Amino acid sequence: MFRIAVMVSGGGTNLQAIIDAIDSGKITDTEIAVVISNNADAYALERAKKAGINAVCVSRKEISDRDAYNKALIAAVDEANVDLVVLAGFLVVIPEEMIQKYRNRIINIHPSLIPSFCGTGYYGLKVHEAALARGVKVSGATVHFVDEGTDTGPIILQKAVEVKDGDTPEVLQRRIMEEAEWKLLPQAIQMLAHKES
Ligand code: GAR
């Protein structure tokens, strides 16, 4: 069985897409060993609980020292003994020590076509606000490996999504989730679990 850790901060719709893809057989021979949140109020933790998945919170509020926080985060991942770490809307910077330890075994979903609208400060709705402000006609999502930079690692999958007249950041975010993110992330996990390229 291929074991994954899913790291979350918020609503957890991408986590849900992974859970659903495992249930429906789109992802095979894979289990979510742990869901890790930095935020105790994340609805993603509820989703994990409902699905009977082991979920832990490594709270940024409770551990204010950055080194201590990084150690706790790495310990939570280590403990789960996983083959792949999936960042599904995880909004905390991954410690360098963890990137080195899990080289090519951490993937992230980003809600734009990298290299557009990515890097420091581009997360969640801010990405879609920037895309609309620039007036692009196409945006999308990217799954990539995590390296020491912000959104700079090798790209695994991308999917384009049309921007429509009158889109708000919320409307565009939802369309990109539905048409790209919720498909791409499970697809990337299935590929990596079965070493397809
Ligand atoms: C998703 O749109 C994901 O691509 C984005 O956060 C959202 C989390 O939603 N991630 C980033 O912006 C990372 N830079 P979710 O909690 O419902 O999956």
Side-chain angles (χ1 to χ4, degrees):
M1 203 54 125
F2 191 74
R3 292 169 63 83
I4 65 175
V6 183
M7 303 184 72
V8 296
S9 297
T13 64
N14 279 285
L15 166 67
Q16 192 65 54
I18 299 167
I19 294 170
D20 294 347
I22 291 174
D23 284 349
S24 70
K26 284 187 184 139
I27 299 177
T28 52
D29 300 320
T30 298
E31 68 175 316
I32 302 176
V34 68
V35 169
I36 300 170
S37 174
N38 63 299
N39 165 16
D41 299 326
Y43 186 65
L45 287 173
E46 279 301 307
R47 295 182 190 271
K49 210 185 293 172
K50 278 187 195 151
I53 297 165
N54 174 34
V56 298
C57 176
V58 183
S59 169
R60 198 65 185 90
K61 274 189 197 151
E62 279 167 28
I63 312 176
S64 53
D65 178 70
R66 187 68 218 209
D67 276 353
Y69 185 78
N70 287 349
K71 283 202 170 68
L73 209 55
I74 296 170
V77 175
D78 284 350
E79 198 177 318
N81 190 22
V82 292
D83 303 293
L84 184 71
V85 178
V86 179
L87 308 184
F90 188 65
L91 300 181
V92 171
V93 174
I94 298 298
E96 244 182 72
E97 192 189 326
M98 181 168 150
I99 293 168
Q100 283 159 14
K101 196 166 182 182
Y102 289 87
R103 172 91 46 210
N104 294 329
R105 288 194 292 148
I106 309 175
I107 64 172
N108 178 49
I109 179 110
H110 183 77
S112 74
L113 293 174
I114 289 175
S116 290
F117 312 116
C118 65
T120 306
Y122 287 99
Y123 57 89
L125 273 181
K126 290 180 193 291
V127 177
H128 308 296
E129 282 163 9
L132 291 175
R134 184 62 186 86
V136 293
K137 302 297 179 196
V138 171
S139 189
T142 303
V143 179
H144 63 93
F145 286 110
V146 172
D147 67 6
E148 282 79 354
T150 305
D151 302 326
T152 53
I155 291 170
I156 302 167
L157 290 172
Q158 288 189 303
K159 191 166 191 290
V161 174
E162 193 188 346
V163 178
K164 295 186 179 168
D165 286 350
D167 271 355
T168 63
E170 290 80 4
V171 166
L172 180 58
Q173 177 182 54
R174 181 77 191 182
R175 187 179 312 115
I176 289 174
M177 283 176 158
E178 284 177 355
E179 293 184 13
E181 296 188 47
W182 300 341
K183 295 176 183 163
L184 278 193
L185 194 54
Q187 197 185 331
I189 294 167
Q190 173 71 356
M191 273 171 55
L192 294 169
H194 300 278
K195 305 277 182 285
E196 299 155 15
S197 55

